[in-house]
Amino acid sequence: MLRRSLEDLVDQYGTLNPYVIERSQLLDKCIVQYMKSFPGEEKRERLETIVRLHQGIESLDKYGMSSNPLVLAVSRELDRLLIEFIRG
């Protein structure tokens, strides 16, 4: 449901809109919480990488850098890793 909402916001406002970025971060947090329930060393390592990326994005966002091209690139990479992780 959050993913569909995010897609609607992107269609309406574009990827640089603060509401879109906020919704994307909320979705990331929900996915990370869900993924923490999966056992296994390989999955745990992948999850740790994803969590570090997410924390980095949150840190940059606190300084008003959420529209920075580098931050957006890392956010897209995080989305890619999350999708890859979920698909297994």
Side-chain angles (χ1 to χ4, degrees), residues 17-82:
N17 184 280
Y19 297 117
V20 173
I21 293 168
E22 184 179 313
R23 184 59 53 99
S24 177
Q25 290 172 343
L26 175 62
L27 178 60
D28 293 343
K29 286 179 184 180
C30 290
I31 292 171
V32 168
Q33 286 177 350
Y34 172 74
M35 290 186 312
K36 284 182 179 180
S37 67
F38 291 105
E41 187 62 30
E42 179 185 338
K43 287 188 177 185
R44 190 174 1 269
E45 289 174 7
R46 290 169 62 193
L47 177 59
E48 288 173 3
T49 299
I50 292 167
V51 168
R52 279 194 304 276
L53 282 171
H54 179 71
Q55 290 170 338
I57 290 170
E58 282 186 332
S59 295
L60 291 170
D61 190 43
K62 287 179 186 177
Y63 296 103
M65 297 181 65
S66 59
S67 62
N68 181 294
L70 178 60
V71 176
L72 293 172
V74 172
S75 182
R76 283 191 296 273
E77 177 65 9
L78 176 60
D79 289 344
R80 186 190 67 74
L81 289 171
L82 288 171

